[in-house]
Amino acid sequence: MAGGEAAPAPDVEELVARLRKRVEDRRRSGAYLPELEQQMTAHFRRILNQRPDARPLPDVEAAVNAVREALPLQAARISMDSGIPGGQALHKAIGKVVSRQTHGTLQQVQGFAQHVQAALEALALAVVELSRTVQSDIGGSLDALYEQQAAQDRTMARLAGGGALLRASDFQPWYSSKHFEEAFRGTREEILERYRELAQRFAGLGPVLDIGCGRGEFLELLGELGVEATGLDFDGEMVKAASGRGLQVIDDEAIRYLSSLDNNSLGGVAMIQVVEHLSAQEIVDFVALAADKVRPGGKVFVETINPQSLYVFAHAFYLDPTHIRPVHPAYLAFLFREAGFVSVDIEWRSPPPADDVLEHAPEDSPAASVHNTNVQRLNELLFAPQDYLIAAVR
Amino acid sequence: MEIHQIVVSASPGDAVTNAALGFQRVLQRVSPSGLFARYIDPRLEGLVNPLSVYEACAEPEDLLIYHLSIGEPEVARFLLGRNGRLVLVYHNITPPKYFATLDPAFAALLTGGRSELALLRERVDMALAVSEYNARELLALGYRDVRVSPLPIDLAELHNVEPDCDVMAALEAIDAPIVLFVGQLLPHKRPDLVLQAYHILSTYLVPDAHLALVGKGRCDRYERAIQTLAKELTLRHARITGWVTAEQLAAYYRNAAVFVTMSEHEGVCVPLLEAMSFDVPVVARAFGAVPETMGGAGVLLPAEDDPMLVAEAVAEVITNETLRSELLPRGRARVAHVNAQTAYATFLGHLVDAVGVTVS
């Protein structure tokens, strides 16, 4: 382990580029099975999460070996030991006298034992093979069935919902939605600042779909990071404004658009302040579709108003007339977990301004401790963070 | 003043315990110095003492050194309730997401560790990070005095043991390249991706290649799933060894054609250094402290899940003699300066510099 002189650094970046090109060429020429890596990943996930643990087989091989070691049967292996003085000589003498009979019996038993051994070996092989078939072939078929069933369940759920998901609203106000956004959502700069960190979490994960992209601030942030991103909004005015700034925005309904995509084709989905505009059916259908369309390892971020903070009902929630209902964080997290996302976290965002929160009494004032405990309880009930974010990894 | 170290749990062969035992020998030259833990493997009884023993005789002027790699409320409560000086050694904490469904209790400890790390910030006089990557995490958390203090790694130890005869014989009998992974069989190390890449490698690129996954698991369900995946991909030449002795490990390194890890989270990644010290070229992905540990002496792949790309890289390292001849000396040069004595000196230097430890 001596330290040697360093050779010139191999240009690893150039090497990786060359290897990548080789992979692409092989893919194009059809050398690999289609979707091989996705299938392997899905298969491992099924093994890990769905398969009941295989029960270990009894040790058939050891039993067969024991039989093998017991053969051949030989007269010489019959013990002549005796506890009585002179007993051993007596045994030997009797042995000699009946040796012909002993030999004949042994031969017959030996013949029988050989058949039994052969049968046991064949059975042992059959059991091992059967177990392999059950675990591998039938396991594989079960996996395929699980997969089909899950896809059918999702389709049924979508059909039951009537397919009018994330549809264009019937509400047609005469005011400009752009003005509404500016008045109540904050300036473009404020929004950029607020979501910069979230956008960074999509780094390397394109393509990302931003559902309800509005003015397109989040798309801009993704663009700055070099993440391929498409926005979706059914508000024509918003789409026009965002497209005008060179962003890729599609005027479509989210479910229709999501359904048209290939499975595993997205690296991420962002849905910021949208879920509170949806019906219960629309929410469950969106989560199921996201599970289909986001590839393993991809991320889904859903930010919405936190109904566990009563403060939001005095401020943000009823400001927007198109809000339908706030969605409880535990319920939304449950939906993502049920849909098969591997990691689902809830993050709290936007604490109310410090000026609005109840103040504690000075520690030395009378009854400060009781008062402050009450203040704390009230603060937790009234002034919990105004938003939460579901961060889900597929 | 006495200097004592605290770890959450002490067990033989554990990297954190080993580092603390190594540091203890150095600290004992300066002051009385004990090692205390909340959980102690019976094999270390006497060498490591229960934290309660220290609590009973704690002096406010003692300098405590806390090794953090997982959460433990009792230890955190003790440290937070104390006013004396505190040095943190940060070994990094595995992100809990990898264990959320597999082992929720373990995931909760990891989550707790992250909160404790944030809570301890105000109490810590100096934080030592075992890698630049760990240091960046601490700085992002608002830690002020953060210094890099490498783990005391003695690569010579593995070279000095007599390689296990049986493993040597078995591996030498294989007349084909052996791809080696060394590390715990845990989700964040991504052995599943190693199996996928090996499947591609042995199906399309280097059909006679063998694979050895060497390392213990700590989660039966995950280990069984990895074994099932290997079986169902019919990887006939893949062996999953479980825990091995140092003698067996040396035999694997001596016979490997290429070392590969797909780990997504590493505070250091010692097996990379071990492989390089045995002249085994390395292939890994750019996650956590892997790039700095590799130090440009191996094939560093981008941080993405592409088993095809990994398989191509492994095949290239196996078959391209020019590349091998470039990588081997670089690997040797990378590990030439890795040794425990330098790490001890750095560690002690930081203590002298930041918390006024005096070395007579």
Side-chain angles (χ1 to χ4, degrees):
Chain A
M1 196 191 61
E5 282 301 308
D11 187 345
V12 173
E13 271 177 36
E14 186 269 333
L15 172 67
V16 171
R18 200 149 38 86
L19 297 173
R20 210 190 274 281
K21 164 109 188 10
R22 227 183 271 171
V23 172
E24 275 161 24
D25 289 347
R26 277 190 222 277
R27 267 189 223 279
R28 249 198 309 275
S29 70
Y32 300 130
L33 288 174
E35 297 192 340
L36 176 58
E37 64 268 51
Q38 288 89 340
Q39 282 181 22
M40 285 194 289
T41 305
H43 187 65
F44 180 61
R45 201 175 308 166
R46 280 191 294 265
I47 292 173
L48 191 58
N49 298 325
Q50 293 177 344
R51 293 264 186 93
D53 277 342
R55 285 195 198 136
L57 283 176
D59 195 351
V60 190
E61 208 175 323
V64 173
N65 281 340
V67 171
R68 207 173 285 145
E69 277 166 24
L71 294 179
L73 305 174
Q74 287 167 329
R77 288 166 78 170
I78 300 172
S79 167
M80 294 293 166
D81 291 348
S82 173
I84 309 161
Q88 198 173 3
L90 185 64
H91 280 307
K92 278 187 183 162
I94 296 171
K96 264 186 195 159
V97 172
V98 298
S99 71
R100 187 184 159 85
Q101 284 76 7
T102 309
H103 189 68
T105 311
L106 273 180
Q107 256 187 339
Q108 285 186 40
V109 176
Q110 172 80 23
F112 175 72
Q114 276 168 348
H115 287 304
V116 171
Q117 185 195 347
L120 276 177
E121 281 177 1
L123 275 175
L125 275 179
V127 166
V128 171
E129 178 58 21
L130 188 66
S131 140
R132 198 196 59 76
T133 317
V134 168
Q135 281 179 23
S136 166
D137 300 357
I138 299 184
S141 310
L142 267 179
D143 290 344
L145 280 175
Y146 278 134
E147 199 78 333
Q148 264 178 17
Q149 191 191 3
Q152 279 168 1
D153 285 352
R154 290 196 285 266
T155 312
M156 296 282 280
R158 275 204 290 282
L159 289 175
L165 312 155
L166 297 195
R167 73 269 176 255
S169 167
D170 294 336
F171 178 62
Q172 298 294 336
W174 45 263
Y175 57 75
S176 152
S177 40
K178 195 158 155 278
H179 290 171
F180 179 85
E181 293 264 321
E182 278 160 9
F184 297 120
R185 295 259 154 82
T187 66
R188 192 173 147 270
E189 286 68 29
E190 282 164 356
I191 299 287
L192 287 175
E193 200 42 53
R194 179 171 151 82
Y195 291 106
R196 192 174 302 281
E197 185 274 337
L198 189 61
Q200 282 164 354
R201 289 156 69 175
F202 278 123
L205 278 182
V208 170
L209 182 66
D210 179 10
I211 299 177
C213 63
R215 293 173 297 190
E217 292 93 345
F218 197 66
L219 293 173
E220 274 181 57
L221 289 168
L222 291 171
E224 284 170 18
L225 294 164
V227 177
E228 188 194 335
T230 304
L232 213 57
D233 211 302
F234 54 66
D235 185 322
E237 190 186 343
M238 291 291 186
V239 173
K240 219 167 135 192
S243 302
R245 295 212 314 284
L247 299 167
Q248 191 183 343
V249 181
I250 295 169
D251 185 353
D252 201 349
E253 290 164 8
I255 292 299
R256 191 167 59 204
Y257 181 75
L258 270 176
S259 304
S260 73
L261 299 176
D262 289 339
N263 283 354
N264 298 329
S265 60
L266 290 173
V269 171
M271 191 150 100
I272 297 168
Q273 302 290 341
V274 171
V275 85
E276 65 275 17
H277 296 261
L278 306 183
S279 72
Q281 188 62 52
E282 288 168 338
I283 295 171
V284 290
D285 290 339
F286 159 73
V287 176
L289 263 178
D292 284 345
K293 305 303 174 187
V294 174
R295 63 173 180 257
K299 293 176 182 169
V300 177
F301 293 120
V302 176
E303 189 201 56
T304 183
I305 278 175
N306 175 21
Q308 290 184 304
S309 168
L310 298 187
Y311 182 87
V312 301
F313 298 103
H315 293 80
F317 189 74
Y318 291 113
L319 246 179
D320 187 335
T322 62
H323 280 175
I324 298 179
R325 65 168 67 74
V327 184
H328 198 286
Y331 172 65
L332 201 49
F334 161 80
L335 277 187
F336 275 91
R337 287 198 191 98
E338 283 293 297
F341 282 79
V342 291
S343 138
V344 180
D345 292 322
I346 301 172
E347 296 172 20
W348 307 107
R349 295 163 68 86
S350 324
D355 288 352
D356 287 356
V357 177
L358 304 179
E359 284 179 37
H360 289 75
E363 288 299 335
D364 52 2
S365 58
S369 136
V370 174
H371 176 84
N372 285 341
T373 307
N374 289 339
V375 164
Q376 190 58 33
R377 283 184 190 147
L378 275 174
N379 274 343
E380 279 164 17
L381 180 65
L382 299 173
F383 299 105
Q386 301 174 81
D387 294 317
Y388 69 92
L389 177 81
I390 294 286
V393 179
R394 182 68 183 95
Chain B
M1 177 192 72
E2 298 188 355
I3 308 176
H4 299 291
Q5 296 184 95
I6 296 173
V7 299
V8 167
S9 103
S11 59
D14 163 59
V16 175
T17 309
N18 283 349
L21 286 169
F23 286 148
Q24 188 188 19
R25 284 192 291 276
V26 183
L27 290 171
Q28 280 171 343
R29 289 183 220 153
V30 181
S31 90
S33 181
L35 177 56
F36 300 93
R38 173 69 184 80
Y39 305 99
I40 302 168
D41 186 295
R43 285 169 289 179
L44 290 180
E45 265 170 28
L47 213 53
V48 183
N49 288 305
L51 180 62
S52 54
V53 169
Y54 176 72
E55 283 180 75
C57 62
E59 295 291 341
E61 63 269 20
D62 287 347
L63 169 64
L64 289 191
I65 298 173
Y66 178 44
H67 294 260
L68 183 64
S69 63
I70 193 167
E72 170 52 53
E74 229 174 89
V75 180
R77 249 197 312 275
F78 166 69
L79 293 171
L80 289 167
R82 184 179 164 274
N83 284 320
R85 286 180 305 165
L86 180 62
V87 167
L88 176 78
V89 179
Y90 183 46
H91 295 262
N92 218 306
I93 300 170
T94 308
K97 65 176 181 183
Y98 292 103
F99 295 93
T101 51
L102 208 55
D103 186 350
F106 186 60
L109 286 178
L110 295 168
T111 308
R114 297 240 163 224
S115 326
E116 289 165 19
L117 187 61
L119 286 172
L120 283 168
R121 182 186 59 205
E122 296 309 321
R123 306 305 309 271
V124 165
D125 294 274
M126 172 178 68
L128 298 178
V130 299
S131 62
E132 299 280 353
Y133 170 70
N134 287 5
R136 283 195 295 276
E137 267 193 13
L138 291 176
L139 289 170
L141 274 173
Y143 273 81
R144 283 174 293 273
D145 190 357
V146 178
R147 296 147 190 248
V148 176
S149 187
L151 281 180
I153 299 168
D154 188 357
L155 292 170
E157 256 175 36
L158 209 49
H159 286 258
N160 293 339
V161 297
E162 191 60 37
D164 182 274
C165 304
D166 294 340
V167 177
M168 277 305 270
L171 297 179
E172 279 170 356
I174 297 170
D175 186 21
I178 298 172
V179 180
L180 175 66
F181 161 83
V182 176
Q184 287 182 297
L185 232 46
L186 292 177
H188 62 285
K189 305 274 184 184
R190 296 299 309 273
D192 57 318
L193 197 55
V194 175
L195 288 180
Q196 285 189 21
Y198 172 69
H199 174 66
I200 311 270
L201 180 79
S202 57
T203 309
Y204 300 97
L205 307 172
V206 186
D208 60 345
H210 284 235
L211 173 74
L213 296 185
V214 176
K216 62 173 183 179
R218 69 172 299 286
C219 176
D220 289 349
R221 192 172 125 209
Y222 188 76
E223 218 175 327
R224 274 199 302 275
I226 287 289
Q227 278 158 350
T228 307
L229 180 67
K231 201 163 70 191
E232 294 188 2
L233 289 175
T234 42
L235 306 178
R236 294 186 205 291
H237 297 312
R239 53 180 74 200
I240 299 170
T241 67
W243 182 83
V244 297
T245 63
E247 289 77 8
Q248 290 168 329
L249 181 59
Y252 278 103
Y253 278 126
R254 281 179 195 273
N255 287 282
V258 52
F259 176 89
V260 60
T261 174
M262 292 292 101
S263 182
E264 287 180 2
H265 183 263
E266 292 291 343
V268 177
C269 198
V270 177
L272 272 180
L273 299 171
E274 291 174 342
M276 289 191 263
S277 79
F278 278 93
D279 279 348
V280 181
V282 297
V283 176
R285 297 189 296 162
F287 282 103
V290 167
E292 62 179 286
T293 305
M294 198 187 257
V299 178
L300 186 66
L301 297 175
E304 55 190 60
D305 283 14
D306 187 349
M308 273 76 173
L309 186 65
V310 178
E312 288 288 350
V314 171
E316 184 73 7
V317 172
I318 290 174
T319 55
N320 182 341
E321 279 306 321
T322 319
L323 178 64
R324 290 181 75 82
S325 63
E326 282 172 347
L327 290 175
L328 294 188
R330 294 202 66 77
R332 255 177 259 162
R334 168 69 187 92
V335 297
H337 305 293
V338 174
N339 71 61
Q341 292 313 318
T342 320
Y344 292 141
T346 310
F347 171 71
L348 212 50
H350 288 315
L351 290 186
V352 171
D353 186 34
V355 273
V357 169
T358 47
V359 183
S360 54

